[in-house]
Amino acid sequence: MINGSKVLDRALRWGMVGGGGTSQIGYIHRSAALRDGNFTLVAGAFDIDAERGQAFGRALGVAAERCYSDYETLFKAEAARADGIEAVSIATPNNTHFAICRAALSAGLHVVCEKPLCFTSAEAEELQRLCKAQQKIIGVTYGYAGHQLIQQARTMIADGLLGEIRIVNMQFAHGFHHEAVELQNASTRWRVDPRFVGPSYVLGDLATHPLFIAETLLPQLQIKRLLCSRQSFVASRAPLEDNAFVMMEYDNGAVGTLWASAVNCGSMHGQKIRVVGARASLEWWDEQPNQLRYEVQGEPVQILERGMGYLHASALADDRIGGGHPEGLFEAWSNLYRRFALAMDATDRGDHAFLQDFWYPDVHAGLMGVRWVEQCVKSADAGAVWVEC
């Protein structure tokens, strides 16, 4: 990627639902999708306020007649065009994801969706079946997993450098919601409202990020059972939690812990993952995403840096500039959108051999996140008891 060459011989015609001018996340979707020239934005229903959304779409350079009032009109009108969209990104509140994903797949579109994919595992399983029936993909924007050193860590673990995995320690614990900030901030208010986010707050909004990174690093491990305790330290958020602790047992005998919090005062992000093996450990922190700690017992700590020739080819493939220059979340998302484009193209060509070993956050990853949150809520609401996964 360091020379910016395109991975497809043409740009996929792409639309958006949501992601308008008041959206926190819309710009990163557009920046990531458009950066490598694999997508071109040609249509959208950008805002629940149709007039505001149409004005915003025109400001982005989208033709006025292709700035639609709602997603149903978008999908119907684009399907009638010879040059209609082939893929759509969904950047709307959580409670709308399932319906829009289902409608997009039914319209014959590839989908990129914000997480959580939906609220229940039954809904996620329906989307998984629909992907197969329509021969289209869903990519889920677990954006932090696009950092290069995640692929480096995945390869080192697969190569046995850590030995048998014993402990997986995860956290995503920031402090920005230590008070009821939602009372003054509309963009936060919906995140703590069960009508919009379903049965959890930090478990679904934060915890699923390090959980997916762990699943990426350790695809051979499966969670057997878990125990969850959750709290609402800002009482008005109940029954949704703003802090949670989860203990997990894996099928190889390893154990895992995850701390998710929005009330960790003083913490900017606090997303970390540490994998401990019988021989060595790895640790990655998203506030320092260009470094990976490799610790062998009895030896000096090694700090692996992105962009360096000693890294595995799977990590170097995502380089966008030489080593020593910091890369961040926009580059990580761009890496994911490049992978989404490759998966969409391979799916349309029926290249099953390519897809068999190709990694990206797919509909199954979305399903696993939804199922995990369900089990956490079940455990916590039963008094923090162990539940099978």
Side-chain angles (χ1 to χ4, degrees), residues 43-340:
F46 297 100
D47 200 302
I48 194 169
D49 182 313
E51 185 175 344
R52 186 171 61 189
Q54 289 164 352
F56 182 75
R58 293 193 299 272
L60 293 176
V62 177
E65 69 273 14
R66 300 180 79 173
C67 298
Y68 300 97
S69 59
D70 55 74
Y71 73 86
E72 293 101 333
T73 306
L74 165 67
F75 297 159
K76 182 178 180 180
E78 288 295 308
R81 297 178 63 110
D83 62 349
I85 59 172
E86 301 164 273
V88 65
S89 290
I90 300 168
T92 56
N94 300 356
N95 63 317
T96 66
H97 292 176
F98 173 67
I100 302 174
C101 279
R102 183 173 57 183
L105 291 170
S106 298
L109 300 173
H110 294 292
V111 177
V112 175
C113 186
E114 278 293 317
K115 58 90 201 142
L117 186 58
C118 48
F119 285 167
T120 71
S121 55
E123 290 175 341
E125 288 165 357
E126 181 178 342
L127 294 177
Q128 189 173 50
R129 288 192 296 270
L130 194 53
C131 281
K132 184 176 181 180
Q134 295 291 91
Q135 298 183 47
K136 299 297 177 183
I137 75 154
I138 291 179
V140 183
T141 50
Y142 287 117
Y144 304 101
H147 284 289
Q148 298 161 58
L149 289 173
I150 300 301
Q151 294 301 316
Q152 175 67 21
R154 174 184 170 98
T155 300
M156 292 172 71
I157 294 169
D159 288 347
L161 296 184
L162 272 61
E164 183 181 15
I165 303 304
R166 293 174 171 173
I167 301 167
V168 187
N169 180 231
M170 298 160 273
Q171 69 173 62
F172 196 156
H174 67 71
F176 287 101
H177 296 170
H178 70 288
E179 298 177 320
V181 295
E182 58 270 18
L183 298 181
Q184 286 78 39
N185 189 327
S187 65
T188 301
R189 192 173 305 132
W190 69 265
R191 295 178 183 275
V192 296
D193 188 333
R195 295 173 299 172
F196 294 98
V197 299
S200 77
Y201 168 31
V202 296
L203 286 166
D205 193 42
L206 304 180
T208 51
H209 282 294
L211 180 75
F212 176 70
I213 291 175
E215 292 170 349
T216 297
L217 301 184
L218 303 159
Q220 74 278 18
L221 296 191
Q222 302 297 320
I223 301 171
K224 287 176 55 181
R225 62 177 191 153
L226 61 78
L227 180 152
C228 177
S229 172
R230 61 177 183 161
Q231 299 78 37
S232 306
F233 284 111
V234 178
S236 60
R237 293 173 183 157
L240 301 187
E241 78 291 338
D242 49 26
N243 190 81
F245 300 97
V246 186
M247 297 176 60
M248 290 161 280
E249 294 180 352
Y250 291 91
D251 56 359
N252 76 327
V255 295
T257 62
L258 196 155
W259 175 31
S261 184
V263 296
N264 181 21
C265 291
S267 172
M268 291 297 294
H269 236 211
Q271 182 179 194
K272 297 181 180 180
I273 180 164
R274 182 175 180 86
V275 181
V276 180
R279 299 176 189 164
S281 301
L282 286 172
E283 183 171 299
W284 181 81
W285 180 16
D286 84 342
E287 292 178 39
Q288 299 175 4
N290 298 300
Q291 289 81 40
L292 175 69
R293 291 177 65 93
Y294 176 44
E295 304 171 9
V296 180
Q297 187 65 36
E299 299 181 11
V301 172
Q302 296 183 48
I303 306 296
L304 307 183
E305 295 276 352
R306 63 145 298 274
M308 299 304 294
Y310 52 71
L311 299 180
H312 192 270
S314 62
L316 293 172
D318 285 335
D319 274 347
R320 293 176 177 273
I321 194 169
H325 300 280
E327 292 188 359
L329 192 62
F330 278 78
E331 288 76 22
W333 274 66
S334 298
N335 292 337
L336 288 191
Y337 260 94
R338 178 174 59 84
R339 289 178 179 271
F340 295 153

Side-chain angles (χ1 to χ4, degrees), residues 22 195 199 348:
T22 61
R195 295 173 299 172
D348 287 343

